[in-house]
Amino acid sequence: MINDEILKEMTKSDFDQAYQKALFSRILSRLKGETNSLLSFQEIMQYIKVKNESYIGMQCVKIDDIIGSEGRYNDFNKEFLPKRKMLRSRWEKIDEAHYQDKILPPIKLYKLGEAYFVRDGNHRVSVARKQNREFIDAEVIEIKSNIPITPETTKSELLEIVISFEKIAFLELTKLDQKRDTSKLNFTFPGRYDELMIHIHGHQYFLGIEKKKEIDMNTAILSWYDNLYVPIINAIEEENLLYRFPGRTSSDLYVWIIRHWDDLKRKYGNKVKITDAVRSYSKNYGTNPIKHYMKMIKNFLFKR
């Protein structure tokens, strides 16, 4: 039986070591330009389409396969090291239970693909990692989707996978790639291809009013691409807008400019031209590239 005073010193030392290691890991990650954060379960769920959900009961889960959290993703890094000193009290109590060989309730996890996200038990995972445990008992709910997720999947990789799946689905539905070059039809954020479908349906409706007849979907798709999408993309390229929006694509700007154009037309009337909307959007929301990179350097050097 460990003396209470010694036990207290041991758990305090364990937390201090874990916290300092998290701090060092954060600094190292910034130097490498990498992220050291846990994935947010809620954010991931915004990107994927769920097929079904089922309770699969008690499992012995490999701790390295736990890559995110439902509610505490800002409190621990991706190695489940504590990032905040306010976690000390609860963390040390669980660490103390470990030294006393007390049996703690199983944690609760969501399983997505081959990876897991904590529903309840973040501190227990953190302590288990500190104590070099390889596995942990967990109650698991499995969520199946069409997106493959592994323990090695990062947020940026997941976004790329989701966007790729969305583009495939869009092209399967529209067959646009069979008639037009869609190699530059790319986004940097999920959900945009669904937005394109809304634009196409709206274009189909107004084209029908203009032509005074029903317009089939294939005709609407090509008309939207040739008479709305391409002219805006051309205007974006002519104004060299991508220079003012680092890391974005012409398709990203198309979506934002369409929204901005609608706002301008509501305010000033339907006579507002798309070229006016392009210039207005660039002026109001574009970034001075030099200031942008100076800000990045400042954040890198001084953000804590």
Side-chain angles (χ1 to χ4, degrees), residues 92-129:
E92 288 183 3
K93 285 180 181 178
I94 293 171
D95 195 33
E96 182 180 309
H98 164 79
Y99 282 116
Q100 294 175 329
D101 292 325
K102 290 182 179 178
I103 298 176
L104 296 173
I107 64 171
K108 296 179 180 180
L109 300 174
Y110 288 111
K111 182 181 182 184
L112 285 173
E114 300 173 29
Y116 296 84
F117 296 76
V118 179
R119 296 167 55 209
D120 180 62
N122 295 276
H123 292 77
R124 278 168 278 170
V125 175
S126 181
V127 171
R129 286 292 295 263

Side-chain angles (χ1 to χ4, degrees), residues 169-220:
F170 175 78
L171 295 179
E172 285 179 350
L173 180 63
T174 63
K175 305 292 190 294
L176 183 60
D177 57 328
Q178 297 178 15
K179 300 287 182 68
R180 299 292 187 270
D181 179 11
T182 58
S183 60
K184 293 183 179 181
L185 186 60
N186 300 306
F187 292 101
T188 62
F189 202 79
R192 301 306 188 226
Y193 291 101
D194 288 342
E195 199 160 346
L196 293 188
M197 288 306 305
I198 294 173
H199 293 182
I200 291 170
H201 284 296
H203 185 75
Q204 181 184 28
Y205 172 76
F206 287 109
L207 193 61
I209 293 176
E210 180 186 334
K211 302 292 186 183
K212 296 181 180 179
K213 64 178 183 179
E214 187 173 339
I215 305 297
D216 66 86
M217 180 54 73
N218 288 333
T219 299

Side-chain angles (χ1 to χ4, degrees), residues 16-26 36 77 79 81:
D16 288 341
Q17 289 176 24
Y19 178 78
Q20 291 299 323
K21 190 175 180 181
L23 183 62
F24 178 77
S25 179
R26 180 169 56 185
N36 194 237
N77 69 9
E79 296 168 328
L81 295 169

Side-chain angles (χ1 to χ4, degrees), residues 3-125:
N3 178 282
D4 287 346
E5 197 169 313
I6 294 175
L7 182 60
K8 194 171 183 179
E9 284 299 316
M10 290 171 65
T11 57
K12 180 179 182 300
S13 176
D14 284 347
F15 181 84
D16 288 341
Q17 289 176 24
Y19 178 78
Q20 291 299 323
K21 190 175 180 181
L23 183 62
F24 178 77
S25 179
R26 180 169 56 185
I27 294 171
L28 190 61
S29 295
R30 283 185 181 152
L31 290 173
K32 292 181 177 180
E34 301 173 349
T35 179
N36 194 237
S37 302
L38 279 175
L39 294 181
S40 163
F41 176 76
Q42 290 96 332
E43 189 174 4
I44 299 304
M45 292 301 289
Q46 292 176 9
Y47 304 147
I48 69 173
K49 293 181 179 179
V50 176
K51 289 183 177 179
N52 60 63
E53 179 179 315
S54 60
Y55 176 75
I56 60 175
M58 291 294 300
Q59 307 280 318
C60 186
V61 175
K62 192 173 182 180
I63 293 176
D64 284 345
D65 292 345
I66 305 173
I67 65 172
S69 174
E70 183 175 29
R72 307 301 290 269
Y73 52 90
N74 285 324
D75 291 340
F76 301 88
N77 69 9
K78 67 180 181 181
E79 296 168 328
F80 270 93
L81 295 169
K83 294 165 60 178
R84 306 178 191 276
K85 289 185 177 180
M86 59 177 282
L87 303 172
R88 178 186 292 278
S89 178
R90 181 166 175 75
W91 197 98
E92 288 183 3
K93 285 180 181 178
I94 293 171
D95 195 33
E96 182 180 309
H98 164 79
Y99 282 116
Q100 294 175 329
D101 292 325
K102 290 182 179 178
I103 298 176
L104 296 173
I107 64 171
K108 296 179 180 180
L109 300 174
Y110 288 111
K111 182 181 182 184
L112 285 173
E114 300 173 29
Y116 296 84
F117 296 76
V118 179
R119 296 167 55 209
D120 180 62
N122 295 276
H123 292 77
R124 278 168 278 170
V125 175

Side-chain angles (χ1 to χ4, degrees), residues 244-245 256 260 263 279-288:
R244 294 178 62 82
F245 294 86
W256 297 333
H260 186 60
D263 290 340
R279 294 187 184 116
S280 172
Y281 189 84
S282 176
K283 179 180 178 181
N284 287 291
Y285 303 105
T287 301
N288 182 305

